[in-house]
Amino acid sequence: MTEFPKSPLMGQMMSQPLLISSIIKHADRYYGSNEIVSRRVEGDIHRYTYRDCHKRSRQMANALGGLGVKIGDRVATLAWNGYRHLELYYAISGSGAVMHTINPRLHPEQIAYIANHAEDMYLFFDMTFLPLVEAFAAHCKTVKGFIAMCDKDRMPAESKIPNLMCYEELLEKNSDQYEWPLFDENSASSLCYTSGTTGNPKGALYSHRSTVLHSYASAMPDALNVSARDSVLPVVPMFHVNAWGLPYSVPLTGAKLVFPGPALDGKSVYELFEQEKVTFSAGVPTVWLGLLTYVGQNNLKFSTFKRTVIGGSACPPAMMKTFRQQYGVEVVHAWGMTEMSPLGTAGTLQSHHMDLPEEKKQAILEKQGHAIYGVDMKIVGDDGKELPWDGKTYGNLLVKGPWIISSYFKNEAGDVLQDGWFPTGDVATIDADGYMQITDRSKDVIKSGGEWIGTIDLENIAMAHPAVQQAACIGVFHPKWDERPLLVVVKKPGAEVTKEELIKFYEGKIAKWWTPDDVTFVDALPIGATGKVLKNRIREQFKEYRLPTT
Ligand code: ADP
């Protein structure tokens, strides 16, 4: 960690470490009776308050101590968004151990790799994942015990999982008398692995300080804009970059928390939105497709839902328009990554934009947004030289800030910083007002005749066609141009469109040479563990594809 010089005159403010436990203490003391509602794995709805959550987190902290978990030890979870998972967020990190959320959508072998790499000491899991845990438990070298997150009567009669314990039983045996310990705010608090689309997953190890600062910044009005008057339903999973920090930023503001559990289909999410008067939500574009299809097919409206943050992959402008124009829901487009805790930018307007015509405002909102305070960014060419902020010149996007990694856990991949900046692997433009727009991930860019074609634009245009549900664009081999764009399309149920119609749809919307050479229709696109379209899988699938233009 970089040391900085000390001034001969230091400030005279209290020295109090920024610790995660302070968030749940605050939520209990000042918003104690505000609710946390969860749809459980069991199917029923569970409700309690921040006060109850704090009490049970303290009991769990005692339980962890009893199991021998010490400061710095890693404790893993494989769980949906729910109240027990939230208790663990506070019990594990609050007591000084490291909360390691594992993505249950990964392959069992990959999960075992991650648990071994992290040297997890215990692993908590929702009962949905019992068969999954049975599949990899024997391969975990450091895990001393597995804890099923359920009541005593739900425990399996027999299981081959070694040292299997019951969450509620463990809690019951422990007192709620517990003082959250004080320690250095730079201590590790939680660990998330990147999805590892290329190579093995790598861990981003957050600190208490980085997490608390990220929570403050992300709750601000031009970011997630969460307040004590909101009812917040994080659709983004708690195993995907800590649900974008919502398990911290929501209790910090005192808003009501609503957890969807495993039921992420359009109908279940919609019902919970209405029943719990949800005002704000967050998730990747693919999950909103399900909700919008359900709401559209059943001619429904949202009574309280006002705002959603969409990120993780580019939010198609067509989705933004549907939310705003048909349902009166404001969409904030956000960008970030696991390595950034994750929030980097959010797209909202400023006062000098207010008189602009609607299409101009919309064009600004479609970008990934401006940096939130705490994050700095720049774009550079391959020579590392900074490029201008003109909204046109694109380059490699670099970031820095107190909640951005300086290296991966156990120094995997070695020195990753370039002159103190983290290279995101994204290609972007930044305009004169500081709004950043992602052109593509550098590995997805299509290289055609020595020039670059960004696939996000091509996909967004296709998804604005009324017959298109989802689209992905990839570069395929071309003898003259190296690569040319192939558009892979999933049609909306019952809708029809031809390849020629789609190619014509691009006319006047982009430079002619960007137009896809061909269109192919598929039933579904491959979706990865974090709900994103797997471009590498599509590239693999169409490796031998011969374009009609070759
Ligand atoms: P991974 O997919 O590697 O597990 P993340 O979930 O951290 O990890 O993904 C980060 C990447 O997702 C970014 O580098 C960027 O390519 C992409 N991404 C995130 N938000 C957006 C967005 N709003 N628009 C376009 N791409 C995005």
Side-chain angles (χ1 to χ4, degrees), residues 158-190:
E158 58 182 69
S159 167
K160 38 183 191 195
I161 299 174
N163 199 9
L164 181 63
M165 290 169 265
C166 166
Y167 187 94
E168 290 302 331
E169 215 174 347
L170 203 56
L171 210 70
E172 216 174 76
K173 285 197 286 207
N174 281 279
S175 136
D176 63 6
Q177 297 300 308
Y178 183 85
E179 279 298 322
W180 297 108
L182 293 178
F183 43 80
D184 188 322
E185 64 183 16
N186 287 303
S187 307
S189 62
S190 48

Side-chain angles (χ1 to χ4, degrees), residues 195 240 311-314 333-338 368 424 426 441 532:
S195 57
H240 184 201
S313 52
H333 195 188
W335 166 87
M337 23 185 355
T338 305
Q368 275 72 6
T424 63
D426 287 329
R441 278 190 167 197
K532 305 186 196 195

